[in-house]
Every structure is written in C-alpha cells, then in structure tokens.
Amino acid sequence: MPALFFSRQQEGFTIKRTAATGWAQSLAIYLESRVMILLALGFSSGLPLLLVFGTLSYWLREADVTLSDIGYMSWVALAYGFKWVWSPLVDRLPLPLLSRLIGRRRSWMLLSQVLVMLALCGMAMSDPKQDLAHLALFALLVAFSSATQDIVIDAYRIESAPERLQAAMAAAYMTGYRLAMIMAGAGALALAAWFGSDTGYDRLGWQQTYFIMAGLMGIGVITTLCCHEPEVNVARQSDEQQRYRAQLLERGWPAPLAGPGAWCHEAIWRPFADFFERYGNTALLILALIACYRISDVVMGVMANSFYVDLAFTKTEVATVTKVYGVIMTLVGASLGGVLVMRFGTLRILLLGALLTASTNLLFSLLGQVGHNVMLLTLVISLDNLCAGIATAAFVTYLSSLTNVAFSATQYALFSSIMMLLPKFIAGFSGVVVEVIGYSGFFIGTALLGLPAMCLIPLVAKRLARSS
C-alpha cells in the first residue's frame, strides 16, 4: 500500500514537472536571436503609425483643427490599406547597388526607414495652424514609406524562421510594435509637454518631438544593417519566370513584351491565384474575416486622443498612464498571446482576442460618462493594451499561416492591406459621428463593429475543418 501510494505521488509529480517544463520551453523560445531581431524591427515598424494617426490627431486638436478635419486627416493612413499595389515591386525588384551590398530584403528595409526619417522631419517643420495641407503631404509620405517597410519586415519574418518560431516571432514583433506605439503615443505627448506646454498648444514642443521620433527610427536602421539576409531561392523564382517567358514566346508574344509579361505573371498574378487555389470557396470568407477583425479597434483609435483632450486630461496624465501601465500590459498581452496561440491554437485565441478588443471599447464609453478620472483612465488603458496585445499576436500568427513562403511579401501585404483598408476608410468619418452622437455613443458603436469578426471566425474554422 505505501509503495502504491508513493508511485501515485511520483506519477503526479512527474505530470506536474512535465507541465512546468512544457511552459518553460514555450517561454524559452523568446530568447532565440531571430526572435530578438523581430523585437527591434517591430519597434521600427510600429513607430510611424501613431505619428500619422492618434498622436497627430492630438496635435491637430490642440491646434484647434475641427473633429471632421481630424477624421478626414486619418485617411493618410489608407496607404497601409493599398500597399498590396506596390508589394510585387518590393517582393521581386532588386534595388540598384544596394541589393548587391546588403541583400534584397534589407535594402528595401533600409530605403523605407530612411524615407520615414526624412518625412517625419518634414512633419516637424510644418504647422497645422498655418498650412494643414503641407503637414498632410509629409504625413502621407510617412504612411507610404512606413507601409513599404511593413511589406519587407513581414516578408523577412516569414522567410527567416521555420513555422515553430513564427508565433514567438509574431509576439516579439508585436511587443516591439506596441512599445513603439507607446513611445509614439505616450512618449510623444510627454516630450511635447516637456519642450512646449502641458495644457495648451505650443508648436515648438511638437516640432522637437517629431525630430526625436525621426531619430528613433535609427533603431530600425541599425538592426537592418546588423541582421542577416533571409535565405530565399531567388534562382528558382528567376527560372520559373524564364520558363513562362518561353511559353509566351511560343504563343507568339513579341520578345520585348514577353519579359514584362512573365514578370507580371510571376510577381502579381501567381501570389493571388495561389491563395484562391489553396483555399477555394473559403478564401472569400477568410478575406471577409481579415477585413473585419480590426474595425472595432482602429475606428475607435482615431478619436481616442481627441477624447482625452476634450475630457481635459493633460499630456502628462495621458503619457504617464500609457507609459507605465500601458507598457506593462502590452508586454504581458503580446507575450501571453504568443504562448496561448502555441498551446491552444490560433483560431481559438483569435476569437478570444476579437471578443476582448470589442469589449474594452465599452470602457471608453464609461469613461466618457464619468469624465476626468485618472484612476479609471488607468484601468481602461491597461485593459485595452492587454487585450490588444493578445488579439494582435493571434492575428499576426493567423495571417502568417495563410501565407505561402514563395510569395511572402505580396501575399502578406494583401492580407494586411485588407485588414486596414475598411477600418481606415470607416475611421475617416469618426469625427463626424462624434459630432452627431457624442463620444459615449460612438464608443458603443465601435464595440458593436466587432460582432462580424466574432461570427466569421467559427464559420472559417468549420469550413477549414470540413475541407481538411
């Protein structure tokens, strides 16, 4: 009897030790060098977004720009929704000299990062009170260059590691991305208050802030120069293009047109055709899910900083809450999301993320009813960042799983463009909606916008299970 009791106890200990070891191995994956590279590249990718989105709206609101104009100004971020248009060029076209020196992916990364830096300096030298169009032009260049950087980094992530590392790399990427957004959000507000005024408009504060943000893009530049070029069989792509060129010549195409025709077939047509061939009738359902998943979060985000201004929160209050609690909860959310995806599967955590993200918008409506309350603001921002981290880690992993490595840049650009196109378009009308129904009604409406995604995820899962 004692021996039997001991063996059962030992068995229980073994089970606990195995479970603990499993979690330890899951967390140890974040120490991989390739995962750490994605942390830095995620920072470089995430920094420009708020500078042409939420932080810019705070700047504009302080400069007495109308809510309607602020909403329309957010349309510069539609560049992220149309990046699939030029993604084939980024995917297949080498840059003269630079590609030979540091590789095809790294050369495009470096070019886009330098352009973001220059455009941010242009924004810094603009004044929305004097010439809003001038500021909008540089903001559009930031968005275009940043979207190009996203194309390359997404391709780099998919090509540089096997599938077992993709969830961790996505989580590390999103951690860096969210840290950059906090730096471009809370950090930018703190800097604008430090160099200018905490309670009113001061152009000098915003000018210095945007110059510093341009300098922080140097993190991406240094990482690009130090990281490795992923191994991709470029020769095979070239051979397939040459074979198709020969087929076009056999069909009677003129020689000067056969080359460009073959390139367009391989770089533009095949990435899109491949996706529909692999998923068949489910492909349209998947694209609908991608288009709906971020609507709730993105549409709400345009008005968030204007909301803080109108509730009389100071730059320091918003920056402090976001910087301290936002950073902690972002790290927890992104890391937890990566581990949850590895242990429970992508679609389950995708559904959980959609539910959590939509729910946190209701907390902003509550804050609108309560008014200026720093403790409630802390709770709202903390929960919002935690849920966003979980949802985004799951979503990036899901998009990566849909991508064929042979067409990584173009296909992922298509998915991420669809992800942003509808939300950014709808977000352009957010200022008009707030002016009509107020902030509380607006936030409740954005929460309801999350329902289509929650309905589509089970449908997609059922279709995929049926076809497998």
Side-chain angles (χ1 to χ4, degrees):
M1 185 69 175
L4 179 61
F5 176 78
F6 178 76
S7 67
R8 286 178 178 171
Q9 290 286 79
Q10 192 175 43
E11 180 183 352
F13 174 74
T14 303
I15 291 171
K16 289 179 182 178
R17 184 174 61 182
T18 302
T21 303
W23 280 101
Q25 289 175 341
S26 298
L27 293 171
I29 202 169
Y30 289 107
L31 300 178
E32 286 267 355
S33 60
R34 287 170 290 187
V35 176
M36 299 303 293
I37 288 172
L38 262 294
L39 180 68
L41 291 179
F43 184 90
S44 178
S45 184
L47 191 70
L49 179 60
L50 283 186
L51 299 176
V52 295
F53 199 57
T55 300
L56 179 59
S57 70
Y58 201 114
W59 181 6
L60 296 177
R61 190 58 176 163
E62 275 204 338
D64 292 326
V65 176
T66 66
L67 288 174
S68 298
D69 285 341
I70 291 172
Y72 297 140
M73 188 76 165
S74 72
W75 277 341
V76 300
L78 280 174
Y80 293 93
F82 285 100
K83 62 186 179 183
W84 58 272
V85 175
W86 66 91
S87 62
L89 294 175
V90 178
D91 198 7
R92 295 297 183 97
L93 189 67
L95 292 175
L97 184 62
L98 202 55
S99 290
R100 289 200 300 271
L101 291 174
I102 60 175
R104 184 175 52 166
R105 297 299 185 214
R106 294 166 66 210
S107 63
W108 275 103
M109 263 195 271
L110 184 62
L111 175 64
S112 60
Q113 288 160 353
V114 170
L115 287 176
V116 169
M117 294 175 76
L118 294 175
L120 286 175
C121 290
M123 290 183 69
M125 293 183 288
S126 304
D127 185 0
K129 277 185 172 289
Q130 302 298 325
D131 191 354
L132 186 60
H134 189 258
L135 179 64
L137 183 63
F138 281 113
L140 182 61
L141 180 57
V142 170
F144 173 80
S145 305
S146 174
T148 303
Q149 180 187 214
D150 289 351
I151 294 170
V152 193
I153 292 178
D154 289 331
Y156 178 90
R157 174 175 51 80
I158 294 167
E159 294 170 353
S160 61
E163 185 176 349
R164 71 177 183 85
L165 287 178
Q166 285 300 323
M169 292 180 76
Y173 173 83
M174 287 316 306
T175 299
Y177 196 96
R178 296 291 295 184
L179 286 172
M181 291 181 72
I182 290 166
M183 187 66 234
L189 294 181
L191 289 170
W194 176 267
F195 290 109
S197 170
D198 193 22
T199 56
Y201 179 65
D202 188 314
R203 185 197 167 198
L204 180 62
W206 288 107
Q207 183 182 63
Q208 295 298 322
T209 297
Y210 270 71
F211 277 133
I212 291 172
M213 293 297 123
L216 286 174
M217 282 300 297
I219 293 174
V221 172
I222 293 170
T223 305
T224 299
L225 294 174
C226 295
C227 70
H228 68 285
E229 177 74 9
E231 296 180 7
V232 179
N233 195 342
V234 180
R236 180 183 175 185
Q237 295 176 352
S238 179
D239 290 343
E240 290 174 352
Q241 184 173 320
Q242 289 302 320
R243 278 196 295 271
Y244 194 76
R245 179 179 181 276
Q247 292 177 20
L248 293 179
L249 290 173
E250 290 175 3
R251 295 175 190 171
W253 279 54
L257 297 180
W263 186 90
C264 289
H265 179 267
E266 294 298 317
I268 301 174
W269 169 251
R270 281 198 63 205
F272 300 111
D274 170 81
F275 173 71
F276 285 95
E277 288 171 3
R278 284 187 291 122
Y279 290 100
N281 295 331
T282 312
L284 291 177
L285 205 59
I286 291 172
L287 294 178
L289 168 59
I290 294 172
C292 293
Y293 194 78
R294 291 290 308 278
I295 287 182
S296 179
D297 189 31
V298 171
V299 175
M300 185 279 291
V302 177
M303 287 293 115
N305 277 329
S306 297
F307 174 60
Y308 302 146
V309 173
D310 291 343
L311 283 187
F313 287 107
T314 67
K315 296 188 190 78
T316 301
E317 286 174 336
V318 176
T320 301
V321 171
T322 307
K323 185 175 182 181
V324 177
Y325 298 97
V327 167
I328 294 171
M329 301 311 284
T330 295
L331 291 172
V332 172
S335 300
L336 181 60
V339 173
L340 289 174
V341 166
M342 289 178 64
R343 296 191 70 86
F344 300 107
T346 305
L347 287 175
R348 289 179 182 176
I349 308 306
L350 201 66
L351 180 58
L352 174 65
L355 175 62
L356 293 174
T357 303
S359 300
T360 54
N361 285 12
L362 298 175
L363 295 176
F364 284 90
S365 179
L366 174 63
L367 181 61
Q369 296 293 327
V370 173
H372 187 282
N373 187 308
V374 176
M375 288 187 65
L376 184 56
L377 176 68
T378 302
L379 175 65
V380 170
I381 287 180
S382 298
L383 290 176
D384 184 57
N385 284 343
L386 174 69
C387 297
I390 294 172
T392 310
F395 196 46
V396 171
T397 304
Y398 179 63
L399 295 185
S400 301
S401 71
L402 299 174
T403 304
N404 185 336
V405 177
F407 314 107
S408 53
T410 302
Q411 285 190 349
Y412 197 92
L414 170 66
F415 301 146
S416 55
S417 295
I418 292 173
M419 170 186 75
M420 298 303 292
L421 188 58
L422 182 60
K424 292 291 187 186
F425 177 73
I426 295 176
F429 300 104
S430 57
V432 177
V433 174
V434 171
E435 289 176 343
V436 173
I437 67 174
Y439 282 112
S440 292
F442 169 73
F443 290 131
I444 293 172
T446 59
L448 294 175
L449 288 175
L451 291 175
M454 286 183 267
C455 295
L456 284 168
I457 292 170
L459 289 176
V460 169
K462 196 174 294 184
R463 285 278 192 93
L464 293 177
R466 195 180 301 163
S467 61
S468 60

